Amino acid sequence: MAQFASPMPSREFLWNIFQRVDRDRSGYISADELQQALSNGTWTPFNPETVRLMIGMFDKQNRGTVNFEDFGALWKYVTDWQNCFRGFDRDNSGNIDQNELREALSKFGYRLSDTMIGLLVRKYDRFGRGTINFDDFIQCCIVLQTLTSAFRQYDTDLDGFITIHYEQFLSMVFSLKV
């Protein structure tokens, strides 16, 4: 995603946005506040699961919220994903189809079968249209990256195969933040 990175906006710009998003004036942004502030470009609410994952990634105090400092990094993260998404949404439809997802994941270094790409589209297509919206695309990529990192901890020879016993598998899965 580095090729899609955007410059960090000014502190004043971020502070103004932070204050608008922090509706209860707590000094922290909750998942509900963030969800209301984000747009996926389809006039539907941002996926609450995606918001939860992003809050978890940037919440350094494990409070389920982000403070202003965390918010700056989160804002840049969402903006970078938005630029990335637009780069792969070749037909400017506002969503990613199976071919566009295959291209995106291939650029990210994933070599997945058409069957697996189809499974990902079905899993992250909340509306049954055969496409993935922006917010669901973020969630798909976060989960895929998290699962890949967990797998690689056991794939020490990087051959794409691991041998683990059931409790190792359960421990790996239940310790993930997905």
Side-chain angles (χ1 to χ4, degrees):
M1 192 173 67
Q3 67 194 22
F4 299 101
S6 59
M8 189 65 145
S10 74
R11 200 165 165 78
E12 182 180 337
F13 174 82
L14 286 173
W15 180 248
N16 288 333
I17 293 172
F18 183 86
Q19 287 183 309
R20 278 186 263 150
V21 175
D22 182 18
R23 293 183 185 266
D24 66 1
R25 301 287 180 243
S26 66
Y28 294 90
I29 293 176
S30 68
D32 288 341
E33 289 171 324
L34 184 60
Q35 181 189 18
Q36 291 174 16
L38 292 173
S39 170
N40 65 11
T42 62
W43 305 104
T44 59
F46 214 83
N47 184 331
E49 185 60 20
T50 304
V51 174
R52 185 192 65 78
L53 282 172
M54 291 190 309
I55 290 277
M57 291 171 66
F58 292 94
D59 173 19
K60 292 187 180 92
Q61 293 121 6
N62 274 341
R63 297 174 53 150
T65 59
V66 289
N67 63 20
F68 176 65
E69 299 305 320
D70 301 335
F71 178 73
L74 190 148
W75 179 267
K76 183 173 181 347
Y77 183 80
V78 171
T79 303
D80 288 347
W81 273 116
Q82 193 172 43
N83 292 333
C84 173
F85 182 84
R86 286 179 182 150
F88 291 113
D89 181 14
R90 299 275 186 238
D91 59 2
N92 294 318
S93 61
N95 52 55
I96 298 269
D97 65 22
Q98 188 163 333
N99 291 327
E100 292 164 331
L101 181 63
R102 180 184 307 102
E103 181 184 347
L105 295 179
S106 177
K107 291 260 192 208
F108 299 158
Y110 294 101
R111 302 291 177 253
L112 302 174
S113 68
D114 287 344
T115 303
M116 182 54 64
I117 299 289
L119 177 66
L120 290 172
V121 169
R122 286 189 302 280
K123 169 88 174 145
Y124 293 99
D125 172 16
R126 286 185 295 152
F127 302 104
R129 298 181 185 135
T131 60
I132 300 175
N133 291 333
F134 170 59
D135 49 347
D136 301 315
F137 175 71
I138 294 173
Q139 183 183 356
C140 174
C141 292
I142 291 171
V143 169
L144 188 57
Q145 193 274 328
T146 302
L147 293 173
T148 300
S149 293
F151 184 88
R152 284 189 177 149
Q153 289 179 355
Y154 292 97
D155 186 17
T156 54
D157 59 358
L158 301 175
D159 66 355
F161 294 93
I162 61 174
T163 302
I164 58 175
H165 61 79
Y166 184 59
E167 286 195 14
Q168 281 177 302
F169 170 74
L170 290 177
S171 176
M172 178 178 70
V173 171
F174 289 132
S175 67
L176 299 176
K177 282 184 142 183
V178 291

